[in-house]
Each structure stands twice: as structure tokens, then as C-alpha cells.
Amino acid sequence: MKFAAGLKYSKEHEWVRVEGNRAVIGITDFAQDSLGDIVFVELPSVGDSLEADDTFGVVESVKTASDLYAPVSGKVVEVNEALADAPEMVNQDPYGQGWMIIVEMSDETQLDNLLDVEQYQKMVEEA
């Protein structure tokens, strides 16, 4: 199980990499491992507005389907279109090529509500 340092994590197993006022968002290695082989990813459109904790998409695996939750509020400025043809990238590289969306944050203080890597790792180990 990989826990990437320098990222923020939600309790719903999304990660956030902050780049200026933008948040790159994906699901964690724990989440993709728990889901199994991912076969489909439904993501929002560029220009959509998200509120923190709202669902922004769905990940389907051979085992189940799982909603995706926005860890921060903002406007979707980029979507990883490559996942439509290669959803397995989420399994192969969840913190890299498996990223899902980039959001221009409307309230950066929401980052304070997320977990750091040590807190997230502890949460997963205690689950």
C-alpha cells in the first residue's frame, strides 16, 4: 500500500495535490486496491461547479461501483479524458496518470479539513 507524502486526503479516500489555487484530485492506492480492477470511470465536465463532499463521479470495478466525493469546492478546469479509454490507469498509477480532475478551488481553507499522510495512513490501518 502506497501513501504519498505531500498530499492531502479525504476520509472518503480521495487525494488532493495542491498546485497554486488548483487541486488535482484522484483516489488513493487503498481505494483502488479495495475496489479491484477498475473498468469504468465517470467524471464531471469541464466548467462544472462542485461543492465539498458532493459526488462528482463514479468508479466501477469488477466488484462494485463507488461514488467519488469532492474534497474541496470549486470549478472543474480539467478532466483526465484518458481514463475513458484506459480506466485501469487508476489501478496502475493512482497518484500519477490515474488522476481524475483538476478543480480551481473557491475556498482554500477547506484544505484544513483534510488529512495529512500520517493521519490518513493511521485511519486506513485502524479500519
Side-chain angles (χ1 to χ4, degrees):
M1 197 73 51
K2 294 180 190 170
F3 297 95
L7 303 179
K8 294 285 196 174
Y9 295 89
S10 73
K11 292 180 180 175
E12 290 77 29
H13 307 288
E14 282 84 15
W15 57 261
V16 175
R17 184 175 62 240
V18 178
E19 298 178 352
N21 69 338
R22 294 183 170 195
V24 182
I25 298 169
I27 64 169
T28 66
D29 191 41
F30 173 80
Q32 68 80 20
D33 187 62
S34 299
L35 288 166
D37 293 338
I38 294 173
V39 295
F40 180 75
V41 180
E42 180 182 316
L43 297 174
S45 300
V46 171
D48 286 356
S49 292
L50 302 175
E51 293 294 325
D53 301 324
D54 281 356
T55 59
F56 71 83
V58 175
V59 174
E60 291 182 23
S61 70
V62 293
K63 292 181 186 175
T64 187
S66 182
D67 287 336
L68 300 165
Y69 295 94
V72 293
S73 301
K75 180 178 170 185
V76 178
V77 294
E78 196 170 338
V79 172
N80 189 350
E81 303 287 351
L83 296 181
D85 294 328
E88 66 275 8
M89 285 195 301
V90 176
N91 292 116
Q92 296 165 354
D93 191 12
Y95 300 115
Q97 292 184 334
W99 67 275
M100 296 180 170
I101 59 172
I102 299 176
V103 172
E104 194 170 273
M105 292 181 282
S106 59
D107 182 1
E108 294 180 35
T109 63
Q110 292 174 336
L111 294 169
D112 297 337
N113 300 330
L114 301 176
L115 307 173
D116 64 25
V117 66
E118 289 84 11
Q119 292 168 320
Y120 180 71
Q121 187 171 356
K122 183 177 178 185
M123 184 189 88
V124 167
E125 289 170 354
E126 291 176 351

